Amino acid sequence: MKTILITGGLGQIGTELSTYLRQAYGTNNVIVTDVVKKDSPVVEAGPFEQLDVTDGKRLAELVDRYHVDTVLHLAALLSAVAEAHPQAAYRINLDGLFQVLEVAREKQLAVFTPSSIGAFGDSTPKVTPQDTIQRPSTMYGVTKVAGELLCDYYFRRFGVDTRGVRFPGLISYEALPGGGTTDYAVEIYYAALKTGKYVCPIAKGTLMDMMYIPDALRAVHELMEADPTKLKHRNAFNIAAMSFAPEDIAAAIQEELPSFTMSYQVNPTLQAIADSWPDKLEDTAAREEWGWKAQYDLKTMTKDMLKNLQPRLAETK
Ligand code: AKB
């Protein structure tokens, strides 16, 4: 049985991953941390500690206190906010990861760290293989590529059991994303149910990889539990579920809510980031090395999103 510490545990992924892993490993075996304590069912449900990931000493103390053997390191600034605050992004995304890896080296912990479709840039093939050119133009991308390399280094050099995936844009109804380029694909569902219309900041025809959160949670769990002898890669596995442009998600919503309408007011900063990212990731390595396969496509995700979001929004009225 693992004892897991999650950083950034009250963010979009952390909120749902904490609950998922507490069900899998037991509530007291999943210690959720975040830089601030917020009102959240996750805080009430089990162990919670405040942790700034750039504070390696405090992380080491928590690891000792709770007998942690695995760190799921989710704390990071997302692409749009990182572009607005590049110095903070460097500190949180890269120094934070370095602190986690150092504590893992000293205490022989396993570490899971997500990378992103943001680890690619203009010179990457648009249909993106596992191993390819990575010259991102954003600070987010710079920290993600460096993070992938650091995790590989700590495995090869110090034997730290590092693993990770490249997440597409994640779509969920429990917690909102904050400051990403793919956030529109979550906001659109809220707008469809609240007002029946949405002004999209990303231009028509812009393809990006996306994934529904249940698939993303399962990916983390399956890779954490994967047989290490089968892993040729360790970190930064491409994983894919669906690739769509704004007009495709709008059409999928219209199938459920026929009166929904969408217009465009393109945000140039977000658009430049989106244009530099892949259209579609190839995930053959993840399929071959640990059996990865997504379950949700755009249609099944849209049905499930609307079904689950509707009662939540009704409660908050
Ligand atoms: C973002 O848009 O920054 C994230 C990501 C794809 O890494 N959702």
Side-chain angles (χ1 to χ4, degrees), residues 7-25:
T7 73
L10 301 183
Q12 185 198 15
I13 310 173
T15 301
E16 296 200 40
L17 192 57
S18 304
T19 308
Y20 182 99
L21 293 178
R22 279 175 171 164
Q23 273 159 17
Y25 296 106

Side-chain angles (χ1 to χ4, degrees), residues 5 13 17 25 53 63 96 128 139 158 200 208 221 223 228 259 265 279 283:
L5 182 144
I13 310 173
L17 192 57
Y25 296 106
V53 285
V63 164
T128 304
M139 179 53 98
F158 303 119
C200 185
M208 283 189 276
H221 192 202
L223 181 53
S259 60
Q265 198 174 325
D279 286 353
D283 60 2

Side-chain angles (χ1 to χ4, degrees), residues 97-157:
L97 175 60
F98 180 67
Q99 297 302 327
V100 168
L101 289 170
E102 271 297 286
V103 173
R105 178 184 64 79
E106 279 163 16
K107 299 181 184 293
Q108 285 301 298
L109 313 175
V111 177
F112 183 97
T113 319
S115 183
S116 158
I117 52 172
F120 300 106
D122 282 323
S123 50
T124 303
K126 282 290 172 195
V127 177
T128 304
Q130 173 66 42
D131 301 308
T132 186
I133 302 164
Q134 290 185 268
R135 306 286 298 169
S137 49
T138 61
M139 179 53 98
Y140 182 66
V142 168
T143 63
K144 287 296 175 189
V145 177
E148 292 179 1
L149 295 173
L150 263 181
C151 288
D152 279 347
Y153 180 82
Y154 270 70
F155 169 65
R156 268 199 320 273
R157 177 77 202 273

Side-chain angles (χ1 to χ4, degrees), residues 210-226:
M210 304 279 179
M211 183 176 287
Y212 196 30
I213 198 90
D215 276 335
L217 304 181
R218 199 169 43 76
V220 175
H221 192 202
E222 285 176 6
L223 181 53
M224 277 170 69
E225 292 293 346

Side-chain angles (χ1 to χ4, degrees), residues 262-299:
M262 185 172 79
S263 55
Y264 294 89
Q265 198 174 325
V266 173
N267 174 320
T269 309
L270 294 182
Q271 188 62 40
I273 299 175
D275 284 340
S276 75
W277 286 359
D279 286 353
K280 190 173 170 28
L281 296 188
E282 278 177 0
D283 60 2
T284 326
R287 286 168 184 266
E288 287 176 0
E289 292 176 40
W290 49 279
W292 159 251
K293 191 172 181 338
Q295 285 172 356
Y296 285 88
D297 60 15
L298 179 55
K299 195 178 169 70

Side-chain angles (χ1 to χ4, degrees), residues 181-188 198 200-202 208 210 244-246 249:
T181 305
T182 57
D183 291 10
Y184 92 87
V186 180
E187 290 161 7
I188 193 169
Y198 182 62
C200 185
I202 300 292
M208 283 189 276
M210 304 279 179
F244 58 74
I249 187 170

Side-chain angles (χ1 to χ4, degrees), residues 22-65:
R22 279 175 171 164
Q23 273 159 17
Y25 296 106
T27 301
N28 288 329
N29 293 322
V30 179
I31 295 86
V32 177
T33 73
D34 209 305
V35 68
V36 283
K37 189 172 182 177
K38 292 190 267 190
D39 275 346
S40 161
V42 171
V43 173
E44 303 306 320
F48 175 85
E49 297 284 345
Q50 250 173 288
L51 172 69
D52 173 343
V53 285
T54 60
D55 183 352
K57 190 160 165 277
R58 164 108 174 121
L59 172 61
E61 279 163 16
L62 293 176
V63 164
D64 288 344
R65 188 182 326 154

